[in-house]
Amino acid sequence: MAVYGASMAVMNVAYYCALGRLPLGVAATLLFLGPFVVAVASARAWREALLPAVGLAGVVLVTGPGGTVEWAGIAFGLLSALALACYTVFAQRVGRASNGLEGLTLSVCISATLLLPFSVPAAPGVNGSDWGMVAVSGAVGVALAFTLDFQAVKMATARVVATLFSLDPVMGALVGALALAESLSAPVIVGMGLIVSAGASATWRAESLQR
């Protein structure tokens, strides 16, 4: 639960830092590299070696080498992916060890405790109107999201959950375009497609090999 809670803290902080520097779709794509790596690592067939290469090509297109790149945003995005990889592995372990939401609740408390050195000094600087946004973000982006994900890991197979994770970049790009008026170049869209396709393929193959 300690590792699970720490993964939550690092993932959220790194992801929000990435969102402040990158388009929503790009940040979500980099975040998805976490479960993608977990899926590839669990595979045993030599054909799976092709999937990381496809995913790497997608990352190259997403990060746009040779152009104006926010490297700090890329670094935060990759850190969030590493944390999500740990989160995915330990969520399943905590889920199997607890009948209800006790494990998740304690893990969230650990995560909140680790973030106190940052949240307490920042609290006085939050305006009254911004507290509503903080509350909605906490309720929807943390409490509801983690609860649904935790239950999904307990109820469904790794293939189903990780495949649904592959929809995150697509949803991020759509929300960014519709709600935030963000535009993505053709190479970035192609790169996102490569990462999502490689991740979904790796997950399905990993599950079939385990069976």
Side-chain angles (χ1 to χ4, degrees):
M1 286 188 293
V3 178
Y4 185 36
S7 300
M8 288 183 191
V10 175
M11 178 180 64
N12 277 288
V13 171
Y15 186 58
Y16 276 109
C17 289
L19 286 176
R21 296 166 173 83
L22 299 172
L24 181 58
V26 175
T29 301
L30 294 176
L31 178 67
F32 171 63
L33 288 177
F36 170 41
V37 170
V38 171
V40 172
S42 64
R44 299 176 182 177
W46 65 268
R47 296 182 183 86
E48 303 302 328
L50 297 176
L51 296 176
V54 174
L56 179 60
V59 173
V60 171
L61 290 174
V62 167
T63 57
T68 302
V69 178
E70 179 57 79
W71 289 111
I74 299 298
F76 281 122
L78 294 177
L79 179 59
S80 68
L82 177 61
L84 181 56
C86 295
Y87 168 90
T88 304
V89 173
F90 284 91
Q92 189 172 36
R93 295 186 181 183
V94 173
R96 290 175 177 175
S98 59
N99 295 324
L101 298 176
E102 298 87 356
L104 174 63
T105 302
L106 292 175
S107 299
V108 171
C109 291
I110 293 173
S111 177
T113 302
L114 293 174
L115 292 177
L116 283 177
F118 305 96
S119 58
V120 172
V126 179
N127 297 325
S129 59
D130 293 335
W131 278 111
M133 185 178 299
V134 172
V136 172
S137 177
V140 178
V142 177
L144 179 60
F146 285 152
T147 299
L148 294 176
D149 178 59
F150 188 73
Q151 294 286 31
V153 171
K154 293 178 64 174
M155 297 171 60
T157 63
R159 176 183 63 184
V160 174
V161 175
T163 301
L164 291 176
F165 266 133
S166 69
L167 298 176
D168 283 358
V170 178
M171 295 301 298
L174 290 176
V175 172
L178 297 177
L180 304 176
E182 294 178 346
S183 61
L184 299 175
S185 64
V188 171
I189 294 176
V190 173
M192 291 170 56
L194 290 176
I195 294 174
V196 171
S197 300
S201 299
T203 304
W204 278 85
R205 290 190 62 82
E207 181 71 11
S208 63
L209 287 173
Q210 291 173 1
R211 292 181 178 179

